[in-house]
Amino acid sequence: MAQSTDSQPFQAYGKAYVFLTITALCWGGNAVFGRLAVNEISPMLLVSLRWLGVLTLLTLFARSTLIEGWRALRPHWAFVAAMGALGFAAFNALFYVAAHRTTAVNIGILQGSIPVFVLLGIFLVYRTKVSALQIAGVAVTIVGVALVACGGDLTALARLTLNSGDLLMIAACFLYASYTVGLRRRPAVPALALFAGFAAAAFIASLPLVAVEASLGHFQWPTRQGWLVVVLVTLFPSFLAQVCFIQGVSLIGPGRAGIFVNLVPIFASILAVIVLGEAFEVFHALALLLVLGGIWLAERGKPVTSSG
């Protein structure tokens, strides 16, 4: 019996690693989908349609779970609304706008700030201990992310300058890190019901953004390829990734889950090779080793008394 009990944490960690790796893979695919969406659908409309698509899927395939979970969610409506609006709608909106105002190099590097914000957040909000080895793991993964972002030329980092797009991206990373930290206070309801609440809040919050986009003359109805992008974004980065992320955070906590975000640019590079035909360089392989090594260090350095 003791052996079975001792194996339970290991099994939980293994499941969490699978969930979070799938999450990172889907989010990496979102970078490719975003490139395919250029001139095919306007950004804010894409944000709105992706969450409408998620709500449609949940209604079709998990209606009974949603009905059962609704009563449990109602007392937590403010939490659900804030998490969905900020972590889903606002993050995506800032990300898309930032992509039009700064370089891919800057965005790739700045995405590496999410685990840093997460570790800072769990320390400030929950007073969770953060070990030196965890900090070292984050640093190593950021080096890997930076290596991908600057195309293998680390000297390019010295020539980077902040612009409005960079500031928007930093704000987006802060919002998603806050969402990650906030998941630790998730109500005890089925994951799908909680996700449906977040998605509904995101869809409602996206409608004013679409209205502003239209008023500025930037609204574009999807083309045929645009609709394909909507379907792909709905199924993978919006639906599958978010469900896996919620499950992963519930198993190992936000601090340890946040480090997996640094796999996103690695997967994005690999998928770009497969889907877009871009070249895979030696620095991509080195960056992958750095990111995986950083995750391993962070896991080795987790405080024994900490849950996340």
Side-chain angles (χ1 to χ4, degrees), residues 26-63:
C26 292
W27 284 342
N30 193 40
V32 175
F33 301 150
R35 292 186 61 181
L36 295 174
V38 175
N39 298 323
E40 306 294 340
I41 180 175
S42 53
M44 297 304 102
L45 180 59
L46 178 57
V47 173
S48 185
L49 290 178
R50 67 188 287 182
W51 296 119
L52 177 60
V54 167
L55 289 174
T56 302
L57 287 175
L58 289 172
T59 301
L60 291 175
F61 299 107
R63 185 178 306 173

Side-chain angles (χ1 to χ4, degrees), residues 219-241:
F219 181 88
Q220 180 185 356
W221 193 249
T223 63
R224 181 178 299 179
Q225 179 171 313
W227 281 115
L228 176 60
V229 170
V230 170
V231 171
L232 292 174
V233 167
T234 298
L235 291 176
F236 296 105
S238 301
F239 183 77
L240 180 60

Side-chain angles (χ1 to χ4, degrees), residues 140-271:
V140 171
T141 57
I142 289 177
V143 173
V145 171
L147 193 62
V148 170
C150 66
D153 181 13
L154 290 177
T155 61
L157 302 183
R159 300 190 293 271
L160 293 177
T161 58
L162 287 176
N163 54 41
S164 62
D166 296 327
L167 296 176
L168 287 172
M169 192 61 204
I170 291 174
C173 292
F174 175 79
L175 286 179
Y176 205 84
S178 300
Y179 163 80
T180 303
V181 173
L183 281 177
R184 189 167 181 173
R185 294 182 175 177
R186 53 172 288 188
V189 298
L192 281 181
L194 182 64
F195 178 46
F198 291 164
F203 172 66
I204 294 171
S206 72
L207 295 178
L209 301 178
V210 176
V212 171
E213 184 175 66
S215 68
L216 295 176
H218 300 315
F219 181 88
Q220 180 185 356
W221 193 249
T223 63
R224 181 178 299 179
Q225 179 171 313
W227 281 115
L228 176 60
V229 170
V230 170
V231 171
L232 292 174
V233 167
T234 298
L235 291 176
F236 296 105
S238 301
F239 183 77
L240 180 60
Q242 296 296 344
V243 171
C244 287
F245 190 67
I246 290 173
Q247 293 287 1
V249 170
S250 69
L251 288 171
I252 64 173
R256 294 162 62 194
I259 196 71
F260 282 79
V261 173
N262 279 317
L263 280 173
V264 173
I266 305 297
F267 282 131
S269 299
I270 295 173
L271 291 172

